[in-house]
mmCIF file of all heavy atoms in Angstrom:
data_model
loop_
_atom_site.group_PDB
_atom_site.id
_atom_site.type_symbol
_atom_site.label_atom_id
_atom_site.label_comp_id
_atom_site.label_asym_id
_atom_site.label_seq_id
_atom_site.Cartn_x
_atom_site.Cartn_y
_atom_site.Cartn_z
ATOM 1 N N TYR A 4 -35.024 62.339 33.307
ATOM 2 C CA TYR A 4 -35.892 61.312 32.649
ATOM 3 C C TYR A 4 -35.084 60.237 32.081
ATOM 4 O O TYR A 4 -33.974 60.292 31.850
ATOM 5 C CB TYR A 4 -36.540 62.059 31.429
ATOM 6 C CG TYR A 4 -37.482 63.273 31.934
ATOM 7 C CD1 TYR A 4 -37.020 64.582 31.979
ATOM 8 C CD2 TYR A 4 -38.688 62.992 32.290
ATOM 9 C CE1 TYR A 4 -37.818 65.581 32.421
ATOM 10 C CE2 TYR A 4 -39.572 63.980 32.717
ATOM 11 C CZ TYR A 4 -39.153 65.241 32.820
ATOM 12 O OH TYR A 4 -39.909 66.275 33.392
ATOM 13 N N PRO A 5 -35.679 58.944 31.945
ATOM 14 C CA PRO A 5 -37.226 58.849 32.073
ATOM 15 C C PRO A 5 -37.649 58.885 33.494
ATOM 16 O O PRO A 5 -36.918 58.553 34.470
ATOM 17 C CB PRO A 5 -37.360 57.523 31.440
ATOM 18 C CG PRO A 5 -36.070 56.770 31.628
ATOM 19 C CD PRO A 5 -35.132 57.801 31.636
ATOM 20 N N VAL A 6 -39.086 59.121 33.606
ATOM 21 C CA VAL A 6 -39.779 58.919 34.857
ATOM 22 C C VAL A 6 -40.883 57.900 34.712
ATOM 23 O O VAL A 6 -41.562 57.862 33.673
ATOM 24 C CB VAL A 6 -40.333 60.282 35.268
ATOM 25 C CG1 VAL A 6 -41.263 60.223 36.349
ATOM 26 C CG2 VAL A 6 -39.315 61.315 35.551
ATOM 27 N N THR A 7 -41.062 57.102 35.652
ATOM 28 C CA THR A 7 -42.219 56.049 35.494
ATOM 29 C C THR A 7 -43.374 56.563 36.250
ATOM 30 O O THR A 7 -43.308 57.151 37.406
ATOM 31 C CB THR A 7 -41.662 54.713 36.216
ATOM 32 O OG1 THR A 7 -40.483 54.312 35.622
ATOM 33 C CG2 THR A 7 -42.763 53.772 36.020
ATOM 34 N N HIS A 8 -44.519 56.498 35.589
ATOM 35 C CA HIS A 8 -45.773 56.934 36.045
ATOM 36 C C HIS A 8 -46.765 55.701 35.739
ATOM 37 O O HIS A 8 -46.492 54.846 34.985
ATOM 38 C CB HIS A 8 -46.301 58.072 35.265
ATOM 39 C CG HIS A 8 -47.607 58.641 35.947
ATOM 40 N ND1 HIS A 8 -48.811 58.193 35.450
ATOM 41 C CD2 HIS A 8 -47.843 59.611 36.863
ATOM 42 C CE1 HIS A 8 -49.805 58.861 36.114
ATOM 43 N NE2 HIS A 8 -49.193 59.696 37.089
ATOM 44 N N GLU A 9 -47.896 55.635 36.563
ATOM 45 C CA GLU A 9 -48.778 54.481 36.383
ATOM 46 C C GLU A 9 -49.387 54.336 34.955
ATOM 47 O O GLU A 9 -49.713 53.360 34.489
ATOM 48 C CB GLU A 9 -49.872 54.574 37.392
ATOM 49 C CG GLU A 9 -50.834 55.693 37.230
ATOM 50 C CD GLU A 9 -51.912 55.795 38.338
ATOM 51 O OE1 GLU A 9 -51.625 55.584 39.464
ATOM 52 O OE2 GLU A 9 -53.099 55.959 38.025
ATOM 53 N N LEU A 10 -49.445 55.536 34.300
ATOM 54 C CA LEU A 10 -49.941 55.503 32.787
ATOM 55 C C LEU A 10 -48.792 55.152 31.899
ATOM 56 O O LEU A 10 -49.208 54.659 30.709
ATOM 57 C CB LEU A 10 -50.531 56.927 32.425
ATOM 58 C CG LEU A 10 -51.770 57.332 33.131
ATOM 59 C CD1 LEU A 10 -52.127 58.756 32.662
ATOM 60 C CD2 LEU A 10 -52.970 56.337 32.705
ATOM 61 N N GLY A 11 -47.620 55.242 32.257
ATOM 62 C CA GLY A 11 -46.483 54.844 31.360
ATOM 63 C C GLY A 11 -45.298 55.670 31.698
ATOM 64 O O GLY A 11 -45.184 56.376 32.654
ATOM 65 N N ARG A 12 -44.225 55.439 30.954
ATOM 66 C CA ARG A 12 -42.965 56.064 31.112
ATOM 67 C C ARG A 12 -42.912 57.445 30.435
ATOM 68 O O ARG A 12 -43.420 57.658 29.336
ATOM 69 C CB ARG A 12 -41.830 55.155 30.496
ATOM 70 C CG ARG A 12 -40.420 55.682 30.874
ATOM 71 C CD ARG A 12 -39.397 54.688 30.374
ATOM 72 N NE ARG A 12 -38.898 55.131 29.135
ATOM 73 C CZ ARG A 12 -37.868 54.591 28.653
ATOM 74 N NH1 ARG A 12 -37.245 53.472 29.136
ATOM 75 N NH2 ARG A 12 -37.369 55.015 27.502
ATOM 76 N N ILE A 13 -42.346 58.493 31.117
ATOM 77 C CA ILE A 13 -42.240 59.807 30.608
ATOM 78 C C ILE A 13 -40.808 60.039 30.151
ATOM 79 O O ILE A 13 -39.893 59.767 30.918
ATOM 80 C CB ILE A 13 -42.613 60.917 31.626
ATOM 81 C CG1 ILE A 13 -44.143 60.574 32.105
ATOM 82 C CG2 ILE A 13 -42.431 62.315 31.031
ATOM 83 C CD1 ILE A 13 -44.485 61.529 33.292
ATOM 84 N N ASP A 14 -40.571 60.389 28.898
ATOM 85 C CA ASP A 14 -39.271 60.641 28.311
ATOM 86 C C ASP A 14 -39.212 61.926 27.669
ATOM 87 O O ASP A 14 -40.270 62.529 27.479
ATOM 88 C CB ASP A 14 -39.050 59.577 27.216
ATOM 89 C CG ASP A 14 -38.800 58.175 27.752
ATOM 90 O OD1 ASP A 14 -37.875 57.864 28.311
ATOM 91 O OD2 ASP A 14 -39.691 57.279 27.345
ATOM 92 N N VAL A 15 -37.994 62.430 27.375
ATOM 93 C CA VAL A 15 -37.835 63.709 26.656
ATOM 94 C C VAL A 15 -37.506 63.197 25.206
ATOM 95 O O VAL A 15 -36.670 62.341 25.087
ATOM 96 C CB VAL A 15 -36.791 64.526 27.199
ATOM 97 C CG1 VAL A 15 -36.526 65.698 26.247
ATOM 98 C CG2 VAL A 15 -37.135 64.998 28.521
#
Side-chain angles (χ1 to χ4, degrees):
Y4 295 96
V6 171
T7 302
H8 185 274
E9 67 184 44
L10 288 176
R12 191 171 98 170
I13 300 171
D14 292 292
V15 174

